Amino acid sequence: MAVGLVFLATLPFHANPYLLFVGNLAMLYIVLTVGLNLLIGYTGMLAFQNAALFGVGAYGCAVLRVTLGLPYWLSLPAGGLIAMIVGVLVALPALRLTGLYLALATVAFAQFTLWVFLHWYSVTGGPAGIQMHPVDFGVLASTAEYGLYYLTMAIMLAVVALTWNLVRSRIGRAFVAIRESEVAAEALAIDLTRYKTIAYAISALYAGVAGGLFAAMLGIVVPESYDLFQVIAQFAMVVVGGIGSVWGAVIGAVGLIWVQEALRAFKEFQEIAFGGMILLTVLFLRGGAMSLIKRHIKGWDEPLRRIPRKR
Amino acid sequence: MMRMGIRTLKSAALALAVAFAAPQAMAQEVIGVTDDEILIGALGVLTGPLFRNGKTIYDGVETVYNEVNAAGGIHGRKLRYVREDDVCKPDQAVPAVKKLIYDHKVFLIHGGGCSNASLAAKPEIEKAGVPWVITASTAPQLTDPVNPMIFTTMLAGWMETAGQLQRVIDLGAKKIAIVAQHDAWGESRYTPLLDAFKAKGMEPVADEELSPEATDATPVALQLQAAGADAIITVLFPKAAAALLRDMYKIGYKPIVVGGSAIGDIKGLNDAIGIDGALAKFQSLFPTKSPLDPSEDVQKWKAAVAKYYPDDEFMVWHMFGIASGQFMVKALEDAGRDLTREKIAKVLATTSVPDPDTYAGPIACTPEDHQCYKSMAWFALKDGEQVQVGETHLSQ
Amino acid sequence: MLPFLLTSGITTGALYAMVAIGLVLVYRSTGHINFSHGELFMLGGFFAYTFHVTVGLNYVVAMLLAVIGSFFVGVASDRIVYRPLIKAPGLSMVLATVGFSFLMKGIGRFFWGGKGEYLSIKPIVDPAPLWIAGIPILPQQLIVLAGALACMIMFTIFFRSTLAGKMMQATAENPRAAYLVGIKVEQVYTYTWGAGAAVAGAAAVLMAPLTLLSPDVGFTLLLKAFAATILGGLGSMVGAVVGGFIVGITEALAGGYIATSLQEVSSFIIIMVVLVFRPSGLFGVYGIRRA
C-alpha cells in the first residue's frame, strides 16, 4: 500500500498531462463513490440524488468563486456545504419514505435539479453554464494541474480514512443495523431519522466537495455533466467494486475510470457496457470485485461487510 | 496471507510505475508529422443522442482525406485522422483533447462540434500550442478574440440566428416569436438570437420552450397564437419541430416558420408530419447547399461518402465536414513539405477556398478574422421537393 | 383555449396511462418497480418501424408483431433480471433494472439510433385534423385514445373474468397461497412481465405516427409514468389510469396558462409533492404491499 501511495504521489513527475488528468479523475470518483456507498451499501437506502448534489457542489463552488469572487480555498468547502444543506433538506421529507418511494422521489429530485441548472439563468448561466479561470495555487504548486492533483489526493485520502473509521464506529454499526432491519434497529433504540440524515449529509458533503474539484478540473460547469449517465456511472462503480465496502468503492471508481478511458474507441458501447456491468454484477457477483478479493485473499477482513440479504 | 495482498498490490503498482516511467516515444522534429504521414486529431461527439453533430461531420472530413490519400497524399504524406469522443460533454472533452495532444501526439486538431465541450477543451489546446480548425462548434468566443492557432469553418451561432431574424423581417413579418429547446445546443443559438433582437431594437412577442423529446406542442402553439405572432424562429431539433409544425397546423394557425441548420432535411420532416401544407410557410437555413442538390459538386461527395461509410445516410452534417476538409487540404498543400505548427497556423490564417463543393459560400480566413465562414442558404419545400430559395452572405 | 389544451392533455395522458399500466401490473404482482419500463416503449416503437417501414408489412400486422416483440422483451426481462433475483433484496432489483434499462437503450441506439436522421413512421390515417365541436383533433390522436381505452377495457375484462387474470390477481395478493392452490406462480410472473411490456409496446405503436422515434425517449416517459402511478397510489390500476390523465392534463395546462418551460418539469414536481404530502396517492393504497 505504501508503494501505491508513493506511486500516486509521484504520478505528476512521470505521467503526461492526459494520464495525470485520468489519475485525478479516478481519485475524484473515489470521493464520490465512497460517499454514495455509505448511503446505498451501508445504510441500504436507494437514492438517485448523488449526481445532482455533485452538480450542486460544482455550481455552488463556481458561483461563489466566479460571481462573488471568493477564493477557491473558501468556495470549495462552501460548495460542499451547500450540497450538504440541499442534501439534508431533501433528506428530511424523503426519509419518511421507504424503499422504492425514496428511489422514485430522488429520481424526480435529480431531474428537477437538472431542470433548475438549465433554467435558473441568473445564477447558473443556463445551458451555457459557468466558466471558471484556473486555480492559482501560488507557491504550493507550479501549475494548476499539479495543485489540483495533490489537493484531490489529500481530500481523497482524508475521505477514505474518515469513512473507514466511521463505518467501524457506533454510527457505522447503526447504519448497518438500519440496512438489515429498520424495525430491529428501532427496537435497539437507534434513531432512524437521525442516522439516515447523517448518512445523507455525509454523502452529500463528499459529493459537493467532489463537485468543487470537478469544476476546477474542467474549468467549466454545465448541466449535461450531471445527467442520468452520471448517476449510472456512479452506481456502476459502487456495484462493480463491491456494495457495502469502502475498498470496493475505491476499486470500483479506479477500475471503471480505467475501463472508460481504455475503451475510449468503443464509446458507442458505453451504455451497453455500464448497464451490462451493473446487471451482470448484481446477477452473478453481488458482492462485486471485493467478494472476489475476499474469497481469494484469505485474511482480508473488513468489518461489518456482508452481502445484504432479503429481510 | 494479508501480506500477499499487499505484495500483489505492490508489484502491480510497481509494474504500473515502470510502464508510466518508460521513456516516452523519441522526440520527433515535429510532433505528429513523419516522412510519410501527418497525424490529425478529431475532437467531437461520436456517440449518443447528438452523434450527428460529430461522427457524420468527421465522416465527411475523412472522406476528403481518403480521396486525397487515394490520389497520392499531400507532398508525399498521407493524412491520418484519429478521433476522440467528447460525447458532447466538457467532462469527456477534457480527457479526449489531452489524449489527442499528449497520447496520440497529433500535429493539429480538426474538429469540435459542441460548443460547451469545445470551450472546455480550448485552454488545453491553447496551452499546448496546437493548431485547431473547428468544424461545427458555434460559440463565438472560440475565435473571438482572435487566437493565432484557432480557426473555424462553421457559421458562428449569432450569425445563424441573426440570419434567421433578418430573413423573417425580409419576408414581411412584424410580430416575431421564438421557440427554443433549452439545452446546450439550443443555448448556443438562443442567447445570440435574443441579442439579435436587441440589436434591431425589437422584442420577441413570445419566447416559448419545447423539450427535444416533446411529442405534443399544442400548449406552445396556443401560446404563440395568443401572442399573435406572424412569424416564428425555431431553435429546435427535428423531433420537436415536427410536433410544433403539426400542432400549429392542427389549430389552424399558419405563421411563417424559420428553422435552422439542425433541420437539414425538410422533405423528411414533411414526410414525418405527413400533412400536405403543414410546411407551406416553412423555410430553413443551412450553411451548406442542399444534400439533395443534384449538381455534380454535391453528388460526387455523396457517392464518396457512400463508398467509405455505406451505413451513413448523406446529410447536411457530412457537408460541413467536406467543406472543412477541402479547406484543410488547401492549407496543407500551400504550406509545403516543411511543416511546423506555427507555419501551418500562419498559412491557415490566409487560406481561402472560394467555392467549396458543399458550402453555400466561400471559406476565407484573414489574420484579423478567424471566423472563416459567413454564408448561408435558404431552403423551402416546393412541389414536394427541397429547393434553395435564397442566400445570405455576411460581409467578411 | 381550454378545450384545445384539454384534448391535447387527454391524448398525452392516455399515453402516460398506458405506460403506467404496465408499470403497475408488474409492481402489483412482484412488488418491484421496473426501471427499464421506458425502454420497452422505446423498443416497441423501433420494432414497429422495422416491421412497417424496413420490411414493408401492413401497419396493423406490423403493430401486432411489434406488440408481440415487446411481449417477448418483457418475458426476457423476467428471465434475465427478475427470476434470478427473486430472493434478493429490493435494492438489487432496482439496480439490476436500472442496468438493464441502459443496456436496452444502448442496444436500441446501436440498431436504430446511429445511422441517419430520426426515424419516422408516416401517419396511417389521413393526418389532416378533424374539427369536432369546434375543437381540432388529429385522427391519429383519436386512434391513440381509442387504443388506450380498448387496452384498459381489455385489462379490466381480463382481470375480472378470465381464469388467467384471476390467477394473476391471486398471485399478486398472496404468492404463497396462490402456490398452495396450484397456481404456477413463476409462470404467472412471466406472463405479467410480458403483458406489462406488451402494453408499453402497444402505446409506442399507437404513438409512433405522431412523433419521431429516438432511443432517448424511454427515461422521459418512465418519469411521467412514475408521476402517474404515484399520483394514483402505487399499485392501483385505476389510479394509474386516472393519474396518467391528470399528469397529461396538468402538463398541458401548465404549458398553456403559465409558461411552456413548465411543461417538462411538472411531472417531477408532481412526484415530489405527492410523495412528501400524500405518499398514499389519491387512492390511498400506500403500504398495502411494501417490498
Side-chain angles (χ1 to χ4, degrees):
Chain A
M1 208 159 126
V3 177
L5 279 179
V6 170
F7 167 71
L8 268 184
T10 55
L11 190 68
F13 300 105
H14 45 71
N16 68 34
Y18 163 65
L19 291 172
L20 187 68
F21 182 88
V22 174
N24 200 343
L25 199 62
M27 294 194 298
L28 183 143
Y29 270 94
I30 291 177
V31 175
L32 276 170
T33 39
V34 165
L36 181 62
N37 203 1
L38 213 48
L39 215 52
I40 297 185
Y42 283 92
T43 324
M45 289 193 291
L46 194 62
F48 285 74
Q49 83 290 5
N50 218 50
L53 294 175
F54 181 38
V56 169
Y59 272 103
C61 175
V63 169
L64 290 175
R65 181 151 178 259
V66 177
T67 318
L68 300 181
L70 291 187
Y72 186 65
W73 63 265
L74 214 63
S75 60
L76 174 71
L81 277 178
I82 293 172
M84 187 165 104
I85 293 166
V86 174
V88 171
L89 287 181
V90 178
L92 290 178
L95 290 181
R96 289 171 32 212
L97 308 168
T98 49
L100 282 173
Y101 287 85
L102 179 68
L104 295 179
T106 52
V107 166
F109 169 73
Q111 288 306 106
F112 178 73
T113 312
L114 207 53
W115 185 86
V116 172
F117 291 161
L118 280 166
H119 288 84
W120 198 7
Y121 277 81
S122 57
V123 173
T124 63
I130 303 172
Q131 290 201 54
M132 208 160 107
H133 46 281
V135 180
D136 186 5
F137 284 90
V139 291
L140 291 175
S142 53
T143 68
E145 279 85 358
Y146 289 173
L148 267 177
Y149 181 87
Y150 286 116
L151 180 63
T152 313
M153 186 170 159
I155 291 175
M156 182 272 285
L157 291 175
V159 158
V160 171
L162 196 77
T163 315
W164 179 247
N165 286 316
L166 182 83
V167 297
R168 292 190 299 174
S169 72
R170 201 169 53 86
I171 299 175
R173 290 195 294 274
F175 287 169
V176 175
I178 292 171
R179 176 186 80 197
E180 295 299 320
S181 164
E182 293 196 0
V183 180
E186 248 178 330
L188 293 171
I190 292 172
D191 183 345
L192 290 187
T193 313
R194 185 165 156 230
Y195 283 100
K196 282 181 174 180
T197 311
I198 292 176
Y200 243 88
I202 295 174
S203 74
L205 177 68
Y206 289 178
V209 171
L213 292 170
F214 200 52
M217 277 175 74
L218 298 178
I220 185 169
V221 184
V222 291
E224 61 260 37
S225 299
Y226 311 99
D227 62 0
L228 187 65
F229 188 77
Q230 182 67 250
V231 178
I232 299 298
Q234 293 181 19
F235 274 173
M237 288 171 189
V238 169
V239 171
V240 171
I243 203 160
S245 156
V246 175
W247 294 111
V250 173
I251 290 171
V254 175
L256 262 70
I257 289 291
W258 179 78
V259 167
Q260 192 178 317
E261 288 304 319
L263 300 181
R264 276 202 147 267
F266 304 97
K267 278 237 192 278
E268 56 188 309
F269 299 110
Q270 186 164 304
E271 286 169 327
I272 297 181
F274 275 65
M277 270 191 292
I278 296 180
L279 184 60
L280 291 178
T281 314
V282 172
L283 286 178
F284 301 115
L285 192 66
R286 206 167 304 149
M290 274 319 288
S291 66
L292 281 183
I293 292 178
K294 201 173 172 187
R295 198 178 306 159
H296 294 290
I297 303 177
K298 295 231 173 72
W300 178 280
D301 193 27
E302 201 174 325
L304 300 178
R305 207 201 92 72
R306 172 165 101 68
I307 304 158
R309 302 216 176 278
K310 193 157 186 148
R311 293 160 203 164
Chain B
M1 291 307 271
M2 182 74 187
R3 290 173 64 193
M4 195 176 124
I6 286 176
R7 207 182 302 153
T8 326
L9 215 72
K10 267 185 193 169
S11 47
L14 261 177
L16 267 174
V18 170
F20 283 129
Q24 308 283 342
M26 292 267 286
Q28 293 162 348
E29 296 278 309
V30 180
I31 295 168
V33 179
T34 62
D35 271 353
D36 49 10
E37 190 180 86
I38 303 173
L39 186 61
I40 297 175
L43 166 77
V45 52
L46 307 179
T47 58
L50 300 166
F51 78 99
R52 292 172 200 80
N53 226 333
K55 187 203 173 269
T56 40
I57 296 174
Y58 307 133
D59 288 353
V61 172
E62 201 163 8
T63 300
V64 176
Y65 289 178
N66 285 343
E67 294 284 289
V68 165
N69 288 343
I74 298 176
H75 302 302
R77 293 193 185 102
K78 297 276 162 79
L79 304 178
R80 189 153 72 83
Y81 200 41
V82 290
R83 309 179 186 200
E84 282 298 337
D85 197 349
D86 68 14
V87 205
C88 224
K89 288 180 179 180
D91 47 300
Q92 296 293 318
V94 173
V97 74
K98 289 191 190 228
K99 177 144 190 172
L100 282 175
I101 296 174
Y102 302 107
D103 202 62
H104 291 301
K105 298 188 170 41
V106 296
F107 175 59
L108 54 76
I109 294 175
H110 189 190
C114 301
S115 290
N116 281 352
S118 294
L119 286 170
K122 189 186 171 197
E124 196 63 44
I125 296 176
E126 270 181 316
K127 198 166 66 185
V130 180
W132 182 20
V133 175
I134 296 163
T135 49
S137 307
T138 56
Q141 61 272 46
L142 289 165
T143 51
D144 182 22
V146 169
N147 179 302
M149 305 299 253
I150 305 178
F151 307 84
T152 182
T153 58
M154 172 51 67
L155 216 52
W158 67 267
M159 295 177 169
E160 182 173 326
T161 53
Q164 285 179 307
L165 182 59
Q166 190 56 52
R167 186 75 181 176
V168 291
I169 294 171
D170 292 349
L171 291 170
K174 295 279 180 286
K175 300 172 101 181
I176 305 164
I178 303 173
V179 181
Q181 63 186 56
H182 287 226
D183 57 3
W185 177 86
E187 180 63 18
S188 61
R189 288 159 178 79
Y190 171 73
T191 310
L193 182 56
L194 292 183
D195 294 342
F197 270 94
K198 240 177 250 155
K200 292 223 175 275
M202 299 169 68
E203 281 255 352
V205 294
D207 178 359
E208 306 300 337
E209 171 173 357
L210 200 54
S211 135
E213 287 295 335
T215 53
D216 185 289
T218 312
V220 177
L222 288 168
Q223 293 261 20
L224 293 168
Q225 192 182 34
D230 55 7
I232 290 155
I233 296 175
T234 70
V235 181
L236 296 174
F237 277 165
K239 184 171 179 174
L244 177 68
L245 287 159
R246 184 198 61 216
D247 290 338
M248 287 199 304
Y249 185 86
K250 184 182 78 181
I251 62 169
Y253 171 46
K254 291 164 184 166
I256 298 166
V257 183
V258 163
S261 55
I263 304 173
D265 184 0
I266 303 177
K267 201 165 176 250
L269 187 68
N270 190 53
D271 286 350
I273 299 172
I275 306 176
D276 284 330
L279 266 66
K281 290 167 87 177
F282 180 79
Q283 298 198 353
S284 192
L285 157 162
F286 340 135
T288 65
K289 297 173 181 169
S290 165
L292 307 170
D293 192 315
S295 71
E296 163 68 16
D297 280 354
V298 173
Q299 289 304 314
K300 73 171 184 222
W301 287 113
K302 186 176 177 180
V305 167
K307 181 169 75 185
Y308 296 113
Y309 305 97
D311 279 350
D312 281 18
E313 182 190 319
F314 190 66
M315 293 185 278
V316 163
W317 311 94
H318 290 104
M319 298 168 83
F320 295 169
I322 289 164
S324 195
Q326 288 187 311
F327 169 77
M328 178 64 85
V329 167
K330 175 85 180 350
L332 286 169
E333 276 170 353
D334 289 353
R337 187 164 163 87
D338 295 324
L339 283 175
T340 64
R341 282 171 170 172
E342 289 69 26
K343 187 173 174 195
I344 190 71
K346 252 199 198 102
V347 173
L348 281 166
T350 55
T351 296
S352 70
V353 181
D355 187 18
D357 287 335
T358 54
Y359 261 1
I363 302 177
C365 298
T366 65
E368 297 77 38
D369 189 0
H370 290 186
Q371 171 63 49
C372 308
Y373 187 65
K374 296 175 176 177
S375 299
M376 50 203 121
W378 291 93
F379 296 89
L381 208 61
K382 290 260 156 70
D383 304 323
E385 290 304 321
Q386 181 167 325
V387 292
Q388 187 169 335
V389 291
E391 280 179 19
T392 305
H393 301 276
L394 300 174
S395 55
Q396 287 290 330
Chain C
M1 188 145 126
L2 184 65
F4 287 43
L5 289 173
L6 283 180
T7 39
S8 120
I10 288 170
T11 324
T12 18
L15 172 72
Y16 299 160
M18 282 181 84
V19 180
I21 287 177
L23 208 57
V24 170
L25 195 64
V26 169
Y27 176 78
R28 273 167 65 101
S29 63
T30 66
H32 292 289
I33 287 273
N34 179 11
F35 278 78
S36 60
H37 193 69
E39 272 60 36
L40 296 170
F41 177 92
M42 179 266 296
L43 286 180
F46 283 133
F47 287 158
Y49 176 86
T50 302
F51 291 125
H52 182 57
V53 180
T54 315
V55 182
L57 295 176
N58 171 285
Y59 178 70
V60 177
V61 178
M63 183 176 158
L64 287 175
L65 286 176
V67 172
I68 294 170
S70 308
F71 176 84
F72 281 109
V73 179
V75 170
S77 316
D78 169 60
R79 291 295 163 89
I80 297 172
V81 183
Y82 179 65
R83 188 85 55 94
L85 293 174
I86 205 160
K87 293 212 159 56
L91 187 84
S92 300
M93 189 71 79
V94 174
L95 289 172
T97 56
V98 167
F100 194 59
S101 81
F102 255 64
L103 187 67
M104 284 203 284
K105 183 162 38 162
I107 290 172
R109 200 188 299 288
F110 182 74
F111 285 107
W112 293 280
K115 285 178 185 163
E117 291 287 356
Y118 295 83
L119 305 180
S120 73
I121 294 182
K122 285 190 189 186
I124 309 310
V125 289
D126 178 19
L130 302 169
W131 286 79
I132 300 169
I135 303 162
I137 184 157
L138 297 171
Q140 186 67 35
Q141 287 183 316
L142 283 179
I143 294 181
V144 172
L145 263 179
L149 283 178
C151 264
M152 291 163 200
I153 293 169
M154 264 165 55
F155 263 101
T156 317
I157 296 176
F158 178 74
F159 279 120
R160 294 259 163 91
S161 318
T162 68
L163 187 64
K166 286 176 180 161
M167 281 183 182
M168 276 192 193
Q169 292 268 48
T171 312
E173 289 303 325
N174 190 336
R176 186 167 293 176
Y179 176 76
L180 286 177
V181 296
I183 294 173
K184 291 190 177 113
V185 174
E186 295 212 328
Q187 228 172 44
V188 170
Y189 286 145
T190 306
Y191 287 123
T192 310
W193 281 88
V199 200
V205 171
L206 289 170
M207 203 62 195
L210 273 177
T211 179
L212 300 178
L213 302 170
S214 87
D216 297 287
V217 71
F219 187 65
T220 316
L221 218 64
L222 182 72
L223 283 171
K224 318 269 185 188
F226 280 167
T229 42
I230 285 179
L231 199 56
L234 194 52
S236 157
M237 196 72 89
V238 182
V241 173
V242 176
F245 284 113
I246 295 179
V247 174
I249 292 169
T250 310
E251 279 186 350
L253 294 184
Y257 284 113
I258 309 172
T260 39
S261 56
L262 289 178
Q263 202 177 343
E264 194 57 27
V265 81
S266 31
S267 52
F268 318 146
I269 296 178
I270 289 178
I271 296 180
M272 291 191 292
V273 168
V274 173
L275 283 182
V276 169
F277 294 105
R278 196 177 159 78
S280 53
L282 298 178
F283 294 82
V285 288
Y286 181 75
I288 285 184
R289 290 182 52 84
R290 268 207 242 172

